[in-house]
Every structure is written in C-alpha cells, then in structure tokens.
Amino acid sequence: MLVLEYKVKCNQCQKQAINEAIRTTQFVRNKAIRYWMDSPKESKVNRIALNNYSTALRKEFNFVEELNSMACQSATERAWQAIQRFYDNCKQKVVGKKGYPRFQKDNRSVEYKTSGWSLHPTKRRITFTDKKCIGELKLLGKWDIHTYPVKLIKRVRIVKRADGFYVQFCVDTEVKQEPRIADGEVGLDVGLEYFYSDSNGHHEPNPRFLRKAEKSIKHAQRRIYTKEKGKNQRRKARARYARKHLKVSRQRHEHAKRTARNVNKANALVAYEDLSVKNMVKNHCLAKSINDAAWSSFRQWLEYFAVKFNSVVVAVTPHYTSQKCSNCGAIVKKSLSTRTHKCSCGCELQRDVNAAVNILNLAQQRQSAQVGKPSQAAVSARGGHPQSNATGVETSTLLDANLVEQVLT
C-alpha cells in the first residue's frame, strides 16, 4: 500500500465543512466504543456488528446521515482497531496497562473508501460528493497520482494539520524493489551523543531538532498567554505555536527516513537494538532527548526500506551489549559517563562502537542458527538475495530470552 499526500486549497466554507466531517467521524467512533462497552458479553460485538451500528446511527442522527456511508464504516473500523488491540494485549499478557479503548477528543481526519469522492480527469482536483458540502478541492503537490488508475485508490483521507488540510490517497500497489549499492553487514547502536554508531566505526551526528528550535517554540508559547481568551489574535498565536512543532516533527521524519534509506541501500544485513522506547521515556531526565532522537520512527523506516532493497533487518536484545567486550566476550562494567571501552585483552573502542559490534555478532549468530538456511555470506557469494524480514523478528525462540520476553517480541 502506497500513500500519496497532497496539500489542498480550500475556502472558509469548505474548511468548516471538513471540520464538521471530522467531528462526525469522531462522534461515530466514540458511539461505537460506547456501544461495545454497554453490550453484554453474550452479544460478542465484532467488526460487523459495529458496521451495522453505524447504519443505525445514520437513521437516528441527521448530521451522521450527511456523511458518506463508507466514511461512517471507516469510523467504526477505527473503534474496532482499538478494541482488537486491547484484546490482543490481554491474550499476550502484556505487562502493565492493556490499552483499554478510550473516547477520542482530538480527531483530525476523516476517511472515505471507494465512494463519496471523485477525481477530476486531470487528477489535479478532487470532489467530495456527500451531503457535507465539501465540494471540489484543488490538489497542490508533486506526487504522481496521475500515474495510477483510479481503481487502485482504495482510501481517501482528509487530514487536518497546523498549516492546513491535506488529502491522502492509499494506492493498492506493491513496493518496487531497488538494487543495493553494496552487500555489507552492519550493527547499529542508537544513542543520545550520536544518532547512531555502527560497527564500522561511523558516527551519525544527532541533529537535535527540538533543542535547536526550543527557544523559538517557548517564545511562541509565551505569546499565547499575552492574548485575551476567545479573541482572534489568540487563535493566530496558537496556530503559530503549532506550526513550529509541526516543523520539528517533519524534520525528524525526513531525517529518520533519509538515514534509514542510506543504511539499507548499502547493507544486506542490518542489526539494531530492540529498544522499549515507551519505558525509556519514563526517565524524566532523558525523556526530551529520547523523543527528540525519534528512535521508533527510525526503526519503522529501517523495516520499510528492508523490503524495498531486499535486505534483512534483525532486532536483537540490547542486554549487556555495552558492557560486553566485542573481542573476548568479557564483561567490563562501566557507567554511562565512561565513553571508552577498555578491556584487559587489549581491545579499546568507543563505547557505542563496541556495542554496535556486539549487536552485529548477535544478529550473525541468529542468522547462522537458522536450520536449513544458508548464511548471509553464502547467499551474497552466490549473487542471490537473502530472505527479507521487515518485522525485526527472525526466529520464534530468541537467544538469552525467557518465555515472557519471547511473547513480548
């Protein structure tokens, strides 16, 4: 599935109509969650039952009937995704909160399926044909939507952001594979001093986008409180503040995508740490720096480009990768302030590089432990392509992992 995004040009009436459609989507989703909460266990509410409930809502509320029927089904599907995620976490016995579905109050998108919209023959304009009166929107952008037939467009989504409205097209097409420029093997150790350090000794600088823009963001935030509540100037000040955060978010996104593409393009095997960022940000001293590094986004793009370049990505447990010597395997205790690894065997490396080598060694051991499959070196020697794995899990039984860790992985 390929997502193409355009910014749209619309007038004030169309903005109000889009906002009304977004609020209706939120209303339908929350009503579906409430319907599931109030239903007895014997009824066994599922995805089909929620879709049927959207039909009942259309008969009961006129403003819901104005929204396209498939858009209402998309709203109930969002509710079912939250419910299904809660069920899966309970079955897998996830430690901590299971993610019980909650009501949404900040929805920013409305999603149509194959009806309720029509593309102009030039594919530079889109018209929404339901009773919300959104009308025709002009598409601004450089994505080549005109190269795909309309029948391949499975979903159309209107997204509200701080700098305007966007239309996303979900195109049903396969990701085209591209050739790699090399067949190397690399281990990555992410950190705060450097964005990542690899097993070859390269250090990728940490851009720290939020830290650089923090002064400007705080100034924009203080300007909000100088404006009177309910006035137009306060609304404009909030918009300026939101746009600054949006810029930082886009910078992180583009940096993670560009870096992950370069790594996968040059390596046939990429090993990285299977970090639990959700737990790491509980440290209030490092939470801002960890979020600014965007490790989770980087991992997602690594797994995406692994499919595009037909490479293998492996997530390994990070336990003792910083303490273990990559040369002899001895444990060398060191604090976070110690940035150089020195072992009695004579190995002296930068701390993160030593960890990256250990991560690569663990990934190679896992690759060679596969029964009936050739190693990465053997595949490269024959000029073939290894089996890609974009999930980050290579085997069901992990090395040095107990049963709980296997289930979580």
Side-chain angles (χ1 to χ4, degrees), residues 126-340:
I126 184 172
T127 304
F128 291 92
T129 57
D130 57 357
K131 298 179 181 179
K132 288 296 182 181
C133 301
I134 298 176
E136 187 180 69
L137 302 176
K138 183 179 180 181
L139 304 177
L140 308 175
K142 297 181 180 179
W143 289 103
D144 297 329
I145 186 63
H146 62 273
T147 60
Y148 299 96
V150 178
K151 63 180 181 180
L152 292 181
I153 302 176
K154 302 303 180 181
R155 305 242 173 173
V156 175
R157 187 183 301 117
I158 306 178
V159 182
K160 179 182 179 181
R161 294 203 176 100
D163 61 342
F165 293 94
Y166 292 80
V167 171
Q168 294 178 348
F169 297 93
C170 297
V171 184
D172 186 12
T173 181
E174 295 182 359
V175 178
K176 296 181 180 179
Q177 293 187 353
E178 299 181 12
R180 294 191 302 270
I181 60 176
D183 293 326
E185 297 182 352
V186 67
L188 304 180
D189 179 77
V190 296
L192 299 179
E193 182 181 5
Y194 302 102
F195 183 71
Y196 74 78
S197 300
D198 62 23
S199 55
N200 299 324
H202 171 71
H203 299 285
E204 182 69 20
N206 191 351
R208 297 184 176 89
F209 296 115
L210 179 60
R211 294 290 184 180
K212 294 178 181 178
E214 194 170 17
K215 183 178 180 180
S216 176
I217 290 175
K218 288 184 176 180
H219 178 266
Q221 187 176 18
R222 289 194 300 268
R223 295 293 296 173
I224 296 176
Y225 306 131
T226 63
K227 312 299 181 184
E228 186 178 354
K229 289 186 178 180
K231 298 297 182 179
N232 194 35
Q233 291 300 320
R234 187 180 179 94
R235 181 185 60 81
K236 291 182 179 180
R238 291 182 61 187
R240 285 192 294 267
Y241 171 71
R243 285 195 296 269
K244 290 183 181 296
H245 270 294
L246 180 62
K247 179 180 178 180
V248 173
S249 176
R250 285 172 172 168
Q251 286 176 328
R252 291 174 182 165
H253 177 85
E254 290 299 322
H255 176 264
K257 180 169 63 174
R258 181 177 64 253
T259 307
R261 177 184 174 87
N262 294 337
V263 170
N264 279 282
K265 191 175 183 179
N267 298 280
L269 174 64
V270 180
Y272 56 89
E273 298 175 285
D274 189 11
L275 296 175
S276 178
V277 180
K278 181 180 179 180
N279 294 331
M280 296 176 69
V281 295
K282 293 179 181 179
N283 184 348
H284 68 278
C285 297
L286 302 176
K288 183 184 293 186
S289 298
I290 292 174
N291 287 326
D292 197 11
W295 294 337
S296 298
S297 178
F298 178 61
R299 173 174 178 170
Q300 292 174 0
W301 283 111
L302 277 177
E303 295 171 352
Y304 170 79
F305 285 112
V307 178
K308 195 173 186 65
F309 292 102
N310 198 17
S311 58
V312 178
V313 293
V314 182
V316 301
T317 54
H319 304 307
Y320 298 104
T321 54
S322 297
Q323 310 292 339
K324 184 179 179 180
C325 179
S326 59
N327 186 31
C328 64
I331 301 297
V332 181
K333 294 290 185 179
K334 59 180 79 70
S335 61
L336 287 175
S337 59
T338 305
R339 307 311 303 170
T340 303

Side-chain angles (χ1 to χ4, degrees), residues 21-33 53 57 61 63-64 75 104 107:
I22 291 175
R23 286 193 295 268
T24 304
T25 299
Q26 177 177 296
F27 173 81
V28 173
R29 179 201 177 274
N30 291 341
K31 290 289 286 186
I33 293 291
Y53 181 64
L57 289 177
F61 300 98
F63 67 92
V64 178
Q104 192 178 40
N107 180 42

